[in-house]
Each structure stands twice: as C-alpha cells, then as structure tokens.
Amino acid sequence: MTWYSVLLEPENDSFQEIDEPDFSISTLPSTNSPAWNRIKDDLILQWIICPFLKKKEGLCYQVPIHTPEIQTYILNHVAGHFNTVQGIYENQKLTMIRLSELKMATQNYFQDKKENMQLISPIVSDFYMRKDLGPQTKGAIDCENVEILIREFRNLCKVEFDEMDDSLWKFFKETHLDFDGNIILVPQNWLFSDELLTSTTLAYFSRFAHRIILTINKANNHVRAVELR
C-alpha cells in the first residue's frame, strides 16, 4: 500500500498585489522569568524553544498575532526564555512577535542535566532533534512536492498515542491556518523514505490536518519543508 502521491504541478502560482502597510519594529518588554515547571507539559513552549537548542546563528521564531490570547500567551509564558523580544507593527497594529537569542539559563537547563531533554515531547524532538545528516543533505537542489495520503498513512503508521494533546495544533490554527489556510514548517534532518511511517510528528499532524505536503529534494531525498492545510 502506498502512502503518498507525487504532485506534478505547483498549486499556488497566482500573484496577488497587496498594499504596502506602514511598517515598524520595537522591543517588547518582558518581565516574566522562565517557569521551568511549565516546560514538561507545554507542547507549544517546547516547539518554540527546541530549534534554538541547536545554537544556529541568526535564528528567530516569528508568531503571527491575530488574537489577544496568543499575544498574552507568548508574552507571559514564552518571551521570558529569550533575550530579544520584538513586536512587528503594520499600520500601528501589532501583527507579529519575533523571538530570538535564547537565554543562557534556558540553554543550561537542557544542557546541564540530560534528563531534562527527556521532558521534550517526541512530537517536538522528532521534528527538530534528529541526528545531523551532515553533507548528506547538501549539494544540488531539484525539488518536487509529495502529498501524504492521510488515510493510507495512518493505516501504515507505527505510532500510537496514549493521550492526544491538541494544543500545538490549536496554536497552528490560531496563528496560521485559520487566517492563511496553511502553515509551512522546516523539519531538521528528515529523509524521505518509509522510515517516516515511524515519525511521531507526522503521526500527530495526520490526526488533524486535511492535507500534508512534503517538499523533497530529489537529488538526496532531503525533506526541505512540510506544508499543513
């Protein structure tokens, strides 16, 4: 049984002209200290923090702000883990919060005690913390899009959940899906093969998404992006 199909044509090639808004960036004050006891049970917080543990230079995480609840959550529970918290404004309205420079205290929380890494959900670690593939993902780029056949994937998937935490999916909906119709994510060190049938992250996405599309470099099977709709 196959669990994917190749998309032969790009689906979003239309161009829409948009007005240029008045644009500004300013630092947002954050007085909250990191709440370490929250990390274990907060899937959204883990999702935002985890890519920074790789210590890539210039990394930032941008959260679209469409509701007061998302703004409050980010400022109260996430911003305290970062040295730089910026608000992006369009026509004097806050539309994005940009997080960068993970605080050393948060880095040390995971690096000093290996058992703290065990607090990270497999949904998050499978996406961000796979073993570095090194030069295997380098070289020429020749991409194609592959759509996961969700019913077939779930029939073949070898991942089961004791409980289903839908908080991360709700976060995607309230920041992207309900407003843009999709969200594009960049997995770390994924290769396209039947091994993805054991992916905890894809198993999680398949419980909620209507469509899952992978962008794959045909030259080396590197999965460059995951689009959720």
Side-chain angles (χ1 to χ4, degrees), residues 44 64 66-67 70 166-183 208-210 228-229:
I44 303 168
H66 297 289
T67 67
I70 291 294
D166 64 354
S167 62
L168 181 61
W169 187 257
K170 288 181 177 178
F171 177 71
F172 290 160
K173 283 176 60 64
E174 293 170 8
T175 55
H176 292 84
L177 293 165
D178 286 347
F179 301 90
D180 303 320
N182 71 334
I183 181 173
F208 302 103
H210 296 295
L228 306 174
R229 301 184 186 179

Side-chain angles (χ1 to χ4, degrees), residues 18-102:
I18 58 175
D19 294 331
E20 288 288 340
D22 180 32
F23 181 83
S24 62
I25 301 176
S26 64
T27 299
L28 295 177
S30 175
T31 58
N32 294 319
S33 299
W36 308 116
N37 60 349
R38 187 181 183 91
I39 291 177
K40 178 178 181 294
D41 299 313
D42 192 332
L43 192 56
I44 303 168
L45 180 58
Q46 292 182 25
W47 185 267
I48 295 173
I49 286 177
C50 202
F52 291 89
L53 299 179
K54 293 283 191 175
K55 295 183 178 181
K56 290 186 178 180
E57 288 192 20
L59 185 65
C60 72
Y61 193 102
Q62 297 192 143
V63 183
I65 303 299
H66 297 289
T67 67
E69 291 77 14
I70 291 294
Q71 179 179 340
T72 299
Y73 169 79
I74 294 297
L75 293 179
N76 286 353
H77 303 302
V78 182
H81 290 276
F82 292 87
N83 288 319
T84 303
V85 182
Q86 295 173 306
I88 299 175
Y89 296 81
E90 296 180 11
N91 298 327
Q92 300 183 341
K93 179 183 179 182
L94 180 66
T95 58
M96 189 91 66
I97 294 178
R98 178 186 294 163
L99 306 161
S100 58
E101 299 178 16
L102 190 68

